[in-house]
Amino acid sequence: MGGRRGIGRGSEPVLVGWWVGALRTQRLVRTICPNCKEEQKIDRDYLRQINCPEHIIESGTFYHGVGCEDCRQQGYKGRLAIYEMLVMSETIRPLILKREASSVIGQAAINEGMRTLRDDGWQKVTDGKTTIEEILRVTMSDEHLKEE
């Protein structure tokens, strides 16, 4: 049996820096049950405390599932993905080659306009597809990348 090929853990950053055009991350979040979905009032101070973007605080409508037979009283039914894509650029490539910390690379990508998992999640919240709690649950470990 041969070893694994391709880019992965232990790969030289030179290979990653030269050959990869973009890296995509995705996570699954639960979707609000469409049968028991209702609007939810959320305290603005709480939204600011969890770093919800101000434009969403001001104009966003929030939903949750109250629970029904269809969702087994969970309020959620099904899943959907949230995404982020890091595009290799002349700013990002040298950071990878220097083996900079992922937080440094991530911040550089954000400065270049990368939409993070949490940003995509906020959009799915405002679209009424999932809840704030779901986005916080799956993105909590990534929030350190953003500068406030």
Side-chain angles (χ1 to χ4, degrees), residues 25-70:
T25 301
Q26 81 175 33
R27 300 228 176 99
L28 294 177
V29 294
R30 297 178 295 175
T31 55
I32 300 169
C33 175
N35 294 324
C36 63
K37 177 178 170 179
E38 69 176 29
E39 190 172 335
Q40 180 182 31
K41 298 294 181 198
I42 308 286
D43 182 68
R44 288 180 178 208
D45 289 335
Y46 170 72
L47 293 170
R48 288 184 181 95
Q49 182 182 356
I50 61 171
N51 297 320
C52 181
E54 195 64 34
H55 71 278
I56 293 174
I57 294 172
E58 295 303 321
S59 63
T61 303
F62 305 97
Y63 297 91
H64 70 131
V66 294
C68 65
E69 284 185 29
D70 198 41

Side-chain angles (χ1 to χ4, degrees), residues 37 61 63 115 120-130:
K37 177 178 170 179
T61 303
Y63 297 91
R115 186 173 168 179
D120 191 40
W122 285 126
Q123 183 61 54
K124 300 233 175 15
V125 166
T126 60
D127 292 344
K129 296 178 180 177
T130 192

Side-chain angles (χ1 to χ4, degrees), residues 84-131:
E84 72 182 28
M85 175 129 6
L86 181 139
V87 177
M88 195 58 60
S89 70
E90 295 306 315
T91 302
I92 303 297
R93 183 173 282 116
L95 297 175
I96 291 173
L97 294 174
K98 291 180 193 173
R99 297 179 187 243
E100 289 286 350
S102 63
S103 60
V104 172
I105 296 167
Q107 189 57 56
I110 289 168
N111 292 344
E112 288 190 338
M114 181 182 82
R115 186 173 168 179
T116 66
L117 283 169
R118 186 162 286 189
D119 294 336
D120 191 40
W122 285 126
Q123 183 61 54
K124 300 233 175 15
V125 166
T126 60
D127 292 344
K129 296 178 180 177
T130 192
T131 63

